[in-house]
């Protein structure tokens, strides 16, 4: 995604809010999908899910996806939401270099999704507020029926001086790169 300010500094933070269920659109919830997120910190949020400007380590918390594990293994330990809805501070090169952001694996379908980006953050969301949404072929979606991996600048960056800037100028255009690669991995191949 690209954007350029025409004549004055402008905040820009574009996001792809695609929902994924690697089992299939009608396969139920995503609690058994295995996720790995390459972010060792989150942007801490208040009770309204607005970033406070502080960072928190994921180690030893339900947000720790540094090693792959299923979405459902710790989701019930979250107390602010009905599932995941949090921004990860991605590890790896800073600036606009491409880095690994996340891997999702569905053991039933053997499908794998790998996401790389140049964005500093990744919002992980588990469709917590989806309820009775009619979709493809008349299937009705419920909470946790899909997940979102949204590469982005940190939410509320424009109001948080310690977050990477989202201000675009005529001289400094916006360029957000996301690579999503799909493959398959059989049950005996790792």
């Amino acid at each position: 995604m690209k954007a350029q300010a025409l004549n004055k500094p402008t905040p820009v933070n574009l996001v792809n809010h695609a929902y994924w269920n690697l089992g299939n659109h009608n396969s139920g919830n995503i609690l058994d999908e295995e996720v790995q997120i390459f972010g060792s910190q989150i942007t801490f949020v208040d009770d309204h899910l607005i970033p406070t400007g502080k960072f928190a380590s994921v180690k030893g918390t339900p947000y720790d996806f540094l090693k792959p594990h299923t979405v459902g293994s710790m989701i019930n330990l979250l107390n602010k939401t009905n599932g995941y809805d949090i921004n990860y501070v991605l590890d790896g090169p800073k600036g606009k270099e491409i880095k690994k952001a996340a891997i999702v694996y569905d053991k039933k379908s053997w499908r794998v999704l790998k996401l790389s980006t140049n964005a500093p953050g990744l919002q992980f969301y588990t469709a917590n507020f989806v309820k009775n949404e009619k979709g493809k072929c008349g299937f009705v979606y419920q909470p946790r029926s899909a997940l979102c991996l949204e590469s982005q600048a940190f939410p509320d960056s424009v109001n948080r001086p310690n977050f990477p800037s989202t201000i675009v100028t005529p001289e400094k255009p916006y360029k957000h790169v996301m690579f999503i690669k799909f493959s398959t991995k059989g049950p005996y191949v790792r």
Side-chain angles (χ1 to χ4, degrees):
M1 295 184 273
K2 296 180 182 180
Q4 186 167 353
L6 296 179
N7 55 14
K8 59 183 172 181
T10 306
V12 176
N13 187 10
L14 303 177
V15 175
N16 176 1
H17 192 59
Y19 285 83
W20 305 102
N21 183 326
L22 298 185
N24 204 356
H25 82 97
N26 60 357
S27 66
N29 65 51
I30 43 82
L31 297 178
D32 289 333
E33 292 193 0
E34 190 175 89
V35 172
Q36 182 173 17
I37 298 175
F38 298 93
S40 54
Q41 292 183 309
I42 56 171
T43 52
F44 193 75
V45 294
D46 64 19
D47 290 337
H48 302 288
L49 299 178
I50 304 297
T52 63
K54 296 179 181 175
F55 301 98
S57 173
V58 299
K59 293 204 187 234
T61 75
Y63 299 107
D64 190 346
F65 285 92
L66 290 168
K67 293 187 179 175
H69 61 84
T70 63
V71 174
S73 63
M74 292 189 284
I75 198 168
N76 291 329
L77 299 176
L78 301 172
N79 56 12
K80 289 187 180 183
T81 63
N82 294 325
Y84 291 97
D85 191 3
I86 195 75
N87 178 68
Y88 285 80
V89 178
L90 293 175
D91 298 333
K94 303 301 179 204
K96 292 297 174 185
E97 292 185 52
I98 304 297
K99 57 192 152 283
K100 289 191 291 187
I103 300 172
V104 181
Y105 173 56
D106 183 83
K107 293 177 186 176
K108 293 176 188 166
S109 70
W110 303 351
R111 292 181 184 122
V112 179
L113 178 155
K114 292 182 181 179
L115 171 65
S116 299
T117 186
N118 67 340
L122 180 76
Q123 189 80 16
F124 178 44
Y125 175 63
T126 51
N128 312 327
F129 303 106
V130 171
K131 187 171 183 182
N132 299 323
E133 291 289 332
K134 190 173 182 181
K136 185 177 176 181
C137 301
F139 189 78
V140 179
Y141 303 116
Q142 300 299 335
R144 304 177 183 178
S145 58
L147 59 84
C148 299
L149 299 166
E150 305 168 29
S151 60
Q152 63 183 4
F154 303 161
D156 202 31
S157 287
V158 72
N159 295 311
R160 305 292 173 191
N162 61 318
F163 284 4
S165 176
T166 59
I167 302 299
V168 174
T169 65
E171 300 78 32
K172 184 183 153 200
Y174 175 88
K175 184 179 179 187
H176 179 171
V177 177
M178 298 166 286
F179 291 110
I180 301 173
K181 179 181 177 183
F182 293 93
S183 61
T184 58
K185 175 170 71 170
Y188 303 109
V189 180
R190 279 263 173 202

